[in-house]
Amino acid sequence: MFTIRIGNKKIKLLNWLIFLIFVFLIIYIVGLIFFMLPIFTKTYNYKLEKENYVINSKVTFKNVWFTCKEKQEYVIKAEDKDIYNVLEKDLINDGFKKRKNKLIKISKSLGTCKDDRITYDKQHSSKYVLFKLNGKKEENLIYGNNYVENYVIAKINNKKVKNIIIKSNLNENKVGKYIISYTINISPCYKQRLYRKVNVIDDEKPVISLIGEKEMEIEYKDVYKEPGYSATDNYDGNITNKVNVKNKINSKKPGTYELVYSVKDSSSNNTSIKRIVKVKEKEIKTIKEKPQIKIKDGITYVNGVLLVNKTHCLPKDYDPKVNKTALKALKNMQSASKVVGLNLPLISGYRSYKTQNELYKKYVKKDGEEKANTYSAKPGCSEHQTGLAFDIGKVDSSFANTNEAKWIMENAHLYGFIVRYPKDKTNVTGYIYEPWHVRYLGVDIATKVWKSDLTLEEYLGIN
Ligand SMILES: [Zn+2]
């Protein structure tokens, strides 16, 4: 079309005109693109501070060729861990995803960015949004009582918000921590929330009841037997099995002791009560009247108790073999010691006159008669010939310091035995301390002898 010619001048003017129109058209199109489809990226940082949490938010709007993208990054802080957990869960429900310590949401919306920005700006303004808890942010409620809801104060643009969404998992009958959430919609896209914590508590102490007397008396060396107790709690019910008893009774030491019974319920309410236990002074319970000594077939019985020592010996032909009752009792004692991790093997039990004779001769040859007499009996004068005496554990002075020897000392009477040659009683018994040598007397007499802290001779009153 530029080849049409109608005179030289006229053609030139038309070319210029076409050229100018063309240039204007290009400028116009470029301008149109530039002003109508702007590329912008705008970031808003804002801090939403509520009574129970702080949200630091970064919102970035990107508008690229009509595609509007919005990226929200939230960093939430809440002093209360329970509130934090619920808040975070709520935001995840709103479409946020957790990345490290941030909650991130990317949404695409076409052409709504402008409106969103206005909402964001307004949302920051406390003049525009008034949203706060009515009442305390954390409340205690005694379990079983009714919770009275205090609601929230909520105004947007000075208008009362009618639609407040309240969510709560509160169970007034169960001790625990509960969160009530209040949500208002500020715009179709933006919500604000508040949280209230309600602690359902039990502040009532449990009750301990003692069975038996509050003040008790026990004999010297008697084992304290707990008469029992029970504990109940308004919330937990029977908590007897949770009672802790502090027992520091030493029945070998006369005096007044306190037993402390304490219990804690599931809400850590503590109760403790005491029982007074008095350990009586030692009574020397010997046979006070003149002991009845009977000698039958050359065997000495004092008040019915067969007695063998250096002055009361047995006939050469007395050969009863091991006493079956005593042996059975020994086995029971050995089993009991095993239960507590100890080992008491039988070293020597019944010994006949003949055996004792050989043994004694051997010891005399080795150590001389005087020394042998301190640890070995002359034939006929050995308690082993009665079938009622046993050497257990280890026949050696080192045995005295073992747990086994200590256990025998404290428990042998329960099986009918006594440690026949106690410590520091050589002047009475004529023998060195023999922690391994036990003599069967039956539980009743053995216990009496044990409690008296005396030797058998002293107890029988024949010393
Ligand atoms: Zn012995």
Side-chain angles (χ1 to χ4, degrees):
M1 68 173 164
F2 299 109
T3 54
I4 298 164
R5 294 176 179 223
I6 314 163
N8 278 347
K9 277 184 183 175
K10 276 184 184 175
I11 291 164
K12 263 188 179 175
L13 199 70
L14 196 65
N15 279 348
W16 271 108
L17 202 69
I18 291 165
F19 176 73
L20 281 174
I21 289 166
F22 200 73
V23 168
F24 275 115
L25 207 66
I26 289 167
I27 291 168
Y28 181 72
I29 290 166
V30 169
L32 208 66
I33 292 166
F34 190 78
F35 290 109
M36 283 182 73
L37 304 171
I39 308 162
F40 72 83
T41 300
K42 177 91 184 167
T43 301
Y44 285 80
N45 285 303
Y46 87 87
K47 197 173 180 183
L48 177 65
E49 277 184 78
K50 283 288 157 202
E51 282 136 294
N52 35 33
Y53 63 87
V54 177
I55 291 179
N56 270 305
S57 167
K58 192 175 146 191
V59 186
T60 307
F61 297 101
K62 274 187 184 171
N63 191 343
V64 183
W65 307 107
F66 278 120
T67 311
C68 191
K69 263 191 187 174
E70 178 195 323
K71 188 183 174 192
Q72 302 176 46
E73 288 180 33
Y74 278 15
V75 179
I76 318 161
K77 275 179 189 164
E79 262 177 51
D80 191 290
K81 210 184 157 194
D82 299 302
I83 287 177
Y84 178 86
N85 289 340
V86 177
L87 174 61
E88 193 185 89
K89 215 184 255 172
D90 282 343
L91 286 171
I92 287 168
N93 272 336
D94 289 348
F96 282 84
K97 294 210 159 59
K98 206 174 173 180
R99 256 182 238 162
K100 288 181 186 171
N101 68 330
K102 284 178 184 167
L103 286 160
I104 291 168
K105 189 181 179 184
I106 298 168
S107 54
K108 264 188 193 178
S109 51
L110 201 69
T112 59
C113 297
K114 213 178 165 189
D115 295 339
D116 288 343
R117 270 185 295 157
I118 291 161
T119 310
Y120 264 96
D121 291 341
K122 283 186 175 175
Q123 195 179 335
H124 290 103
S125 154
S126 57
K127 280 177 192 163
Y128 187 70
V129 180
L130 173 69
F131 189 37
K132 60 178 194 173
L133 289 173
N134 194 23
K136 291 176 187 168
K137 59 181 177 180
E138 186 167 353
E139 289 178 26
N140 285 342
L141 178 71
I142 291 167
Y143 98 95
N145 286 6
N146 285 331
Y147 177 67
V148 180
E149 178 59 68
N150 278 316
Y151 299 103
V152 286
I153 297 158
K155 278 179 183 176
I156 297 175
N157 206 10
N158 241 344
K159 272 183 197 162
K160 226 176 173 184
V161 179
K162 282 176 189 167
N163 192 15
I164 298 161
I165 303 150
I166 303 177
K167 273 190 190 170
S168 164
N169 61 350
L170 178 67
N171 182 350
E172 293 145 326
N173 294 313
K174 203 178 166 200
V175 168
K177 290 167 181 169
Y178 302 94
I179 305 291
I180 301 173
S181 76
Y182 307 87
T183 309
I184 55 169
N185 291 314
I186 290 164
S187 73
C189 301
Y190 300 110
K191 294 168 183 170
Q192 267 196 26
R193 290 193 177 87
L194 283 174
Y195 297 89
R196 195 196 309 276
K197 192 174 183 182
V198 179
N199 301 312
V200 175
I201 57 160
D202 161 34
D203 62 355
E204 209 174 308
K205 287 179 175 184
V207 178
I208 303 176
S209 315
L210 290 183
I211 298 165
E213 298 298 314
K214 279 197 163 182
E215 284 181 29
M216 289 174 63
E217 268 190 351
I218 61 167
E219 302 277 330
Y220 170 73
K221 268 189 166 182
D222 251 358
V223 178
Y224 169 74
K225 279 179 200 148
E226 175 56 50
Y229 47 82
S230 68
T232 51
D233 182 61
N234 62 324
Y235 186 77
D236 300 331
N238 190 330
I239 50 167
T240 304
N241 59 351
K242 285 187 178 167
V243 175
N244 176 39
V245 186
K246 265 191 195 164
N247 174 353
K248 282 180 184 168
I249 296 172
N250 180 0
S251 66
K252 280 184 271 174
K253 209 176 159 191
T256 305
Y257 295 87
E258 267 183 7
L259 285 182
V260 181
Y261 302 77
S262 55
V263 73
K264 224 185 224 180
D265 70 8
S266 55
S267 297
S268 290
N269 297 306
N270 216 333
T271 295
S272 69
I273 60 165
K274 286 172 185 171
R275 195 198 304 266
I276 306 292
V277 178
K278 201 178 161 190
V279 176
K280 288 198 218 166
E281 291 294 329
K282 177 165 71 176
E283 267 181 63
I284 308 287
K285 278 188 177 170
T286 52
I287 293 161
K288 279 164 191 155
E289 290 145 46
K290 211 182 166 193
Q292 285 193 317
I293 303 169
K294 269 187 192 170
I295 297 168
K296 201 181 161 193
D297 302 328
I299 303 161
T300 310
Y301 295 90
V302 181
N303 288 57
V305 176
L306 196 163
L307 181 73
V308 175
N309 59 23
K310 294 201 170 178
T311 48
H312 300 85
C313 300
L314 295 166
K316 206 174 173 177
D317 59 352
Y318 183 67
D319 187 16
K321 303 283 191 293
V322 70
N323 183 291
K324 279 180 184 168
T325 311
L327 188 65
K328 202 179 162 192
L330 180 79
K331 281 179 179 165
N332 287 339
M333 182 162 79
Q334 285 172 314
S335 306
S337 71
K338 223 163 237 171
V339 172
V340 290
L342 302 173
N343 189 22
L344 295 173
L346 174 62
I347 308 297
S348 174
Y350 172 71
R351 292 205 287 266
S352 66
Y353 184 94
K354 199 181 150 215
T355 312
Q356 187 63 30
N357 192 25
E358 286 159 9
L359 207 61
Y360 180 72
K361 275 182 182 168
K362 196 180 97 185
Y363 290 142
V364 171
K365 204 174 171 186
K366 187 182 158 218
D367 287 329
E369 195 178 336
E370 199 186 331
K371 195 180 174 192
N373 282 342
T374 66
Y375 64 89
S376 181
K378 286 180 181 171
C381 306
S382 168
E383 208 176 37
H384 285 276
Q385 200 186 325
T386 63
L388 297 163
F390 304 96
D391 293 337
I392 52 173
K394 196 180 173 192
V395 182
D396 189 287
S397 59
S398 67
F399 183 64
N401 294 320
T402 63
N403 288 333
E404 275 83 355
K406 284 170 199 159
W407 187 88
I408 293 170
M409 206 62 194
E410 295 307 316
N411 297 282
H413 65 283
L414 301 171
Y415 306 90
F417 292 96
I418 59 161
V419 175
R420 183 68 175 88
Y421 310 118
K423 207 175 174 181
D424 304 324
K425 292 282 186 179
T426 310
N427 61 329
V428 182
T429 61
Y431 290 96
I432 53 162
Y433 176 37
E434 290 192 9
W436 57 84
H437 181 111
V438 291
R439 157 75 198 270
Y440 185 75
L441 288 168
V443 175
D444 182 40
I445 298 172
T447 303
K448 284 175 180 164
V449 174
W450 177 73
K451 279 171 89 176
S452 74
D453 290 336
L454 299 170
T455 62
L456 184 59
E457 284 82 4
E458 287 168 321
Y459 174 79
L460 294 172
I462 56 142
N463 194 38

